[in-house]
Amino acid sequence: MEKLIEQFSFGLFFWQLLLFVGLVLLLKKFAWKPILDAVEKREEGIKGALESAEKARLEMQNLQADNQKLLKEARAEREDMLKEARDIKNKMIEDAKGEAQDQANKMIAQATAAIESEKKAAMAELKSQVAGLSLEIAEKIVRRELSGKGKQEELVESMLSEAKLN
């Protein structure tokens, strides 16, 4: 029985070895290549995903840089617009001040002209009244002075002597 077991073991070993080798050859021909291809495809897919992730990271950096640039440009544009608005406001204030000053100067000039006109009119009226009063006084004085004939002759002689001197 031992021999039988030995023969059986050796035969079994031989058939197992033969089946194993056959199985390895069949696996090599039909399974290893698809498995290795699948592993290579998986490896290439992982490499592609890593490259895509790196590209996406670079694109994100570029987009962030672009966003920062756009943000800076927007801030600069906002500052320019605010400065322009301040300049326009200041110009409008200066224009309004200038216009108000011009109006005030015109009003002062008109008031000065009206005062001067009133002053001239008052002076003319005053001169007229003074002249009228002076004539009335002179007339009264001359009447009183010349009430007598002797005084009239004296006045005529004094005027004649003054006229000769001149």
Side-chain angles (χ1 to χ4, degrees), residues 7-163:
Q7 278 184 347
F8 183 70
S9 293
F10 180 72
L12 185 62
F13 177 72
F14 174 74
W15 286 111
Q16 282 181 348
L17 183 64
L18 187 64
L19 284 174
F20 181 72
V21 170
L23 182 64
V24 168
L25 289 175
L26 280 175
L27 283 175
K28 185 177 178 185
K29 185 169 185 169
F30 294 109
W32 283 108
K33 188 170 182 168
I35 290 172
L36 288 177
D37 287 344
V39 168
E40 283 179 23
K41 284 182 183 177
R42 171 99 174 155
E43 188 178 322
E44 287 175 11
I46 291 172
K47 282 182 184 178
L50 288 174
E51 288 174 1
S52 295
E54 182 64 23
K55 286 180 183 177
R57 186 182 65 79
L58 290 175
E59 283 185 34
M60 284 298 289
Q61 285 179 343
N62 289 339
L63 286 174
Q64 285 178 343
D66 289 345
N67 285 343
Q68 291 295 329
K69 182 181 174 184
L70 288 173
L71 190 59
K72 284 181 184 178
E73 288 175 0
R75 285 181 181 149
E77 188 174 335
R78 182 191 71 191
E79 288 299 320
D80 289 344
M81 290 173 72
L82 287 174
K83 183 178 181 252
E84 185 178 332
R86 275 188 237 115
D87 291 344
I88 289 171
K89 177 189 82 167
N90 290 338
K91 186 180 183 307
M92 288 175 70
I93 289 172
E94 289 300 319
D95 289 348
K97 283 182 182 178
E99 191 173 321
Q101 186 65 39
D102 289 345
Q103 287 287 350
N105 289 341
K106 285 180 184 177
M107 290 174 73
I108 289 171
Q110 288 174 350
T112 304
I115 290 171
E116 193 63 34
S117 173
E118 290 293 322
K119 182 179 170 185
K120 286 180 182 178
M123 287 296 281
E125 187 178 335
L126 185 63
K127 283 181 182 179
S128 171
Q129 287 179 358
V130 167
L133 285 174
S134 295
L135 281 176
E136 282 181 37
I137 292 172
E139 187 179 322
K140 286 181 183 178
I141 291 174
V142 169
R143 277 189 196 156
R144 200 174 358 144
E145 286 289 323
L146 297 178
S147 59
K149 189 170 181 157
K151 287 188 178 180
Q152 287 177 2
E153 286 177 6
E154 200 177 297
L155 179 64
V156 170
E157 281 182 26
S158 106
M159 287 180 138
L160 284 174
S161 65
E162 280 180 24

